[in-house]
Amino acid sequence: ATSLLDGEFIQIFLDRAIAEAPAQCPHNPAYDPKFQGLEFAPFDSADPPADSIWFLVIVGIAAVAILLVLVVVSYVVRCFVRRRNKRWVGA
């Protein structure tokens, strides 16, 4: 996931956005209301490393584990509250 930030991907994206900005800004003398965008050469995209896939798997497992813990805690709290409520009503 961090390989995108380490490479030039973000820098190329920002450079292209800045290059198109004058034609899209109505306050700029270079503004063109019919501007369709500049043609850029496609940049190289490297194959994602296997580490990023494992990172997503680990994040998914962690999310499921957290969800299960929350469900168990919710169930325990409900049982505890029901028992206290039955004692209070029966007293």
Side-chain angles (χ1 to χ4, degrees), residues 18-72:
I18 290 172
E20 291 181 340
Q24 295 176 346
C25 178
H27 303 290
N28 193 311
Y31 173 66
D32 182 11
K34 297 178 183 175
F35 181 71
Q36 296 295 320
L38 297 175
E39 288 292 324
F40 295 105
F43 52 88
D44 299 329
S45 62
D47 292 333
D51 294 342
S52 66
I53 293 172
W54 283 111
F55 177 75
L56 291 176
V57 169
I58 291 171
V59 168
I61 290 171
V64 169
I66 290 172
L67 184 64
L68 286 174
V69 167
L70 290 175
V71 167
V72 168

Side-chain angles (χ1 to χ4, degrees), residues 8-21 38 40:
E8 297 180 359
F9 177 77
I10 299 295
Q11 186 63 46
I12 292 172
F13 176 77
L14 292 174
D15 289 343
R16 290 179 178 184
I18 290 172
E20 291 181 340
L38 297 175
F40 295 105

